[in-house]
């Protein structure tokens, strides 16, 4: 039973390019969360999605960032026109439903470096 | 809105010594509380959780945590630390908006 799969594990972009991060939740999980971890900091919530729906995007910057979780395929976190401040580790987590609230299963993260 | 504070950014203990990592939370209702561990370059792994009932909860790898409502605390403990416990530890509360809110983390270093 594969865990949460994130790719790419490492991504290097130049300022102004686009970054696209993918997350495949664990089998049977319908809830996906994205968190960002800046160097030497904790994890900050970005967005919470269920299939085809954004439930809460209060932690995501209003500009340049978007997320989706289509009916088929992985969840995508997209960052347009990246800037140096976007350099961070982006973690995806999934959960089956709310019967075990807060018990999230994390991927190993995608580490974005913006040159 | 909920929040979590981990007062200690770094802690160093000798191998075999006991460990306590502090966590204080702020949340209006009965909280769901968690401790996660992150090894370098890895994702987070759940150590233990508190939902209700017994305030002393046992987790994996010999860790335990005690929920103290009067102090709004959920401190993590281990009686004897192993070198492999060196990692970053995050306390988290699950609350409004169905999301986990994390503390800033405590980086544990273990001296031989």
């Amino acid at each position: 039973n594969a865990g949460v799969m994130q790719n790419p594990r490492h991504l290097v972009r130049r300022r102004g390019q686009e970054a696209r991060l993918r997350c495949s939740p664990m089998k049977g999980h319908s809830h996906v969360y994205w968190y960002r971890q800046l160097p030497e900091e904790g994890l900050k919530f970005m967005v919470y999605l269920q299939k085809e729906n954004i439930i809460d995007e209060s932690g995501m910057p209003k500009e340049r960032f978007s997320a989706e979780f289509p009916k088929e395929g992985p969840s995508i976190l997209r960052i347009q026109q990246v800037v140096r401040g976007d350099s961070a580790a982006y973690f995806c987590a999934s959960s089956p439903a709310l019967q075990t609230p807060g018990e999230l299963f994390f991927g190993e993260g995608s580490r974005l470096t913006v040159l | 809105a909920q929040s979590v504070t981990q007062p200690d950014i770094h802690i160093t203990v000798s191998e075999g010594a006991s460990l306590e990592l502090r966590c204080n939370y702020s949340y209006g209702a009965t909280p769901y509380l968690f401790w996660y561990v992150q090894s370098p370059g890895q994702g987070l792994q759940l150590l233990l959780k508190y939902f209700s009932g017994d305030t002393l909860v046992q987790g994996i790898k010999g860790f335990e945590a005690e929920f103290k409502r009067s102090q709004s605390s959920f401190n993590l403990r281990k009686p004897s630390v192993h070198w492999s416990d060196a990692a970053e530890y995050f306390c988290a509360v699950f609350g409004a908006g169905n999301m986990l809110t994390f503390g800033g983390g405590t980086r544990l270093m273990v001296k031989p």
Side-chain angles (χ1 to χ4, degrees), chain A residues 33 35 101-104 108, chain B residues 34 36 42 49 98-100:
Chain A
Y33 300 78
Y35 285 82
E103 188 169 345
L104 305 186
E108 294 188 332
Chain B
F34 302 80
Y36 283 82
Q42 301 296 313
K49 62 193 177 197
N98 294 325
M99 72 179 78
L100 266 183

Side-chain angles (χ1 to χ4, degrees), chain A residues 4-67:
Chain A
V4 177
M5 303 300 292
Q6 289 189 248
N7 67 84
R9 292 291 310 278
H10 300 274
L11 182 64
V12 179
R13 286 287 179 265
R14 297 189 181 279
R15 282 180 295 171
Q17 292 184 318
E18 176 179 290
R20 194 173 289 235
L21 311 178
R22 287 175 290 279
C23 168
S24 296
M26 287 183 70
K27 187 176 181 180
H29 288 194
S30 57
H31 298 236
V32 166
Y33 300 78
W34 285 94
Y35 285 82
R36 176 164 65 175
Q37 185 178 35
L38 294 169
E40 304 300 317
E41 293 189 17
L43 282 83
K44 304 296 184 189
F45 168 78
M46 298 183 74
V47 61
Y48 164 39
L49 310 105
Q50 295 177 26
K51 284 283 188 181
E52 300 184 278
N53 284 304
I54 296 175
I55 306 303
D56 186 334
E57 56 183 349
S58 59
M60 201 155 65
K62 295 287 187 286
E63 297 179 355
R64 303 187 299 107
F65 285 74
S66 62

Side-chain angles (χ1 to χ4, degrees), chain B residues 3-110:
Chain B
S3 66
V4 178
T5 302
Q6 293 180 245
D8 305 304
I9 298 174
H10 293 99
I11 281 187
T12 300
V13 299
S14 297
E15 190 168 16
S18 64
L19 171 70
E20 182 168 29
L21 303 182
R22 295 184 290 165
C23 170
N24 293 98
Y25 68 91
S26 172
Y27 184 58
T30 300
Y32 295 154
L33 295 162
F34 302 80
W35 276 97
Y36 283 82
V37 61
Q38 183 183 31
S39 297
Q42 301 296 313
L44 278 73
Q45 181 184 19
L46 179 67
L47 277 178
L48 48 76
K49 62 193 177 197
Y50 170 78
F51 284 175
S52 64
D54 193 348
T55 56
L56 184 64
V57 294
Q58 303 296 321
I60 62 171
K61 304 184 181 185
F63 285 92
E64 66 178 27
E66 186 171 13
F67 169 58
K68 292 186 177 179
R69 185 187 299 276
S70 61
Q71 298 177 20
S72 297
S73 70
F74 189 56
N75 294 349
L76 181 72
R77 301 194 293 249
K78 186 169 184 178
S80 177
V81 169
H82 188 263
W83 64 266
S84 61
D85 293 325
E88 188 143 23
Y89 292 80
F90 293 96
C91 182
V93 61
F94 185 83
N98 294 325
M99 72 179 78
L100 266 183
T101 299
F102 287 89
T106 298
R107 188 176 299 277
L108 172 66
M109 289 172 280
V110 180

